[in-house]
Amino acid sequence: MTARSKERQLAEAFVTLADTLVDDYDIVELLHTVVELCASMLDATDSGILLPNAAGELEVAASSSERSHLIGLLQLGEGEGPCVDAYRTGSLVTVDNIAGTYARWPSFAIAAAESGYASMHAIPLRLRKDTIGSLNLFRDRTGGFSEDDAATAQAFADIATIGILHERSLRESQIARSQLQHALDSRVIIEQAKGIVAHTQNVDMDIAFQMIRTRARNTGTRLSVLAAHIVANPFDDAANPQRGDH
């Protein structure tokens, strides 16, 4: 990809994200768009976002693949890892070689190696002095991110923060908490729907999610609404997202 074509794609990506920041936007779709853009346009294999729930406990709100979702869950279960540290400290955490972090994060280092990740970049989602989550980039090889990619990743993190809080949440913290909890609650339903589609269509979880997302886009349905319908009606057409889209 030439520098000019990459600049154009980035510009188009930011325009797309900006267009979603309207009243009654779908926060779940926005977060998934951010992580997929990070994984496809930056020097990253996968990407994910962690957010705290109403009890202050971190959860995976969006991920670009099932693999990054699982590694995020492991960090949360063990209470250790770059993603957790970025959220707790509010500071950027860059790991050029995950294999060298065993003494600091033993469980994370082992799980990351088993998943094929070799380096990562964890960016806190910050609003002024408050940290509301983390955007996490994973790579399957060692080494740091380029200065340009690091700056672009920070821009994506800023957009995710704006999308979560929106203008209203800057004035009223209750709206921020509601948006965060909605994203996390929706994720639980989406995971259930993925399992149903994966089972009924005999596909893996990543493909199941893409099928659900395509159906939601083609029918103009919110991702969380379609997922809830699949969970409530696992044996009708909604459980086969390839049907009824034309």
Side-chain angles (χ1 to χ4, degrees), residues 81-117:
C83 306
V84 176
D85 277 16
Y87 171 72
R88 288 176 175 170
T89 65
S91 300
L92 178 70
V93 179
T94 297
V95 180
D96 294 347
N97 186 355
I98 291 176
T101 67
Y102 180 82
R104 183 176 181 182
W105 305 304
S107 296
F108 166 75
I110 293 172
E114 292 175 347
S115 298
Y117 294 130

Side-chain angles (χ1 to χ4, degrees), residues 69-216:
H69 177 72
L70 292 176
I71 198 70
L73 285 177
L74 178 129
Q75 290 186 76
L76 303 181
E78 297 295 332
E80 67 171 48
C83 306
V84 176
D85 277 16
Y87 171 72
R88 288 176 175 170
T89 65
S91 300
L92 178 70
V93 179
T94 297
V95 180
D96 294 347
N97 186 355
I98 291 176
T101 67
Y102 180 82
R104 183 176 181 182
W105 305 304
S107 296
F108 166 75
I110 293 172
E114 292 175 347
S115 298
Y117 294 130
S119 61
M120 73 165 299
H121 194 69
I123 307 165
L125 303 182
R126 298 190 60 184
L127 174 67
R128 300 170 184 165
K129 295 182 179 181
D130 296 326
T131 303
I132 64 168
S134 65
L135 170 64
N136 311 291
L137 310 179
F138 302 88
R139 299 202 309 175
D140 55 10
R141 61 189 182 282
T142 59
F145 284 81
S146 69
E147 186 176 332
D148 286 345
D149 273 3
T152 302
Q154 182 62 61
F156 279 126
D158 292 341
I159 286 180
T161 302
I162 293 170
I164 293 167
L165 299 177
H166 210 229
E167 290 184 357
R168 293 170 297 176
S169 65
L170 296 176
R171 300 187 297 269
E172 185 176 355
S173 61
Q174 181 58 43
I175 293 177
R177 289 194 293 271
S178 176
Q179 288 276 42
L180 294 176
Q181 193 60 50
H182 168 66
L184 296 172
D185 290 345
S186 296
R187 182 74 199 188
V188 173
I189 299 298
I190 291 169
E191 289 300 311
Q192 294 174 354
K194 282 165 56 178
I196 291 172
V197 172
H199 176 73
T200 59
Q201 303 305 310
N202 194 29
V203 296
D204 64 34
M205 294 286 277
D206 286 332
I207 293 177
F209 177 65
Q210 292 304 323
M211 291 170 68
I212 297 170
R213 195 174 182 197
T214 298
R215 175 68 175 269

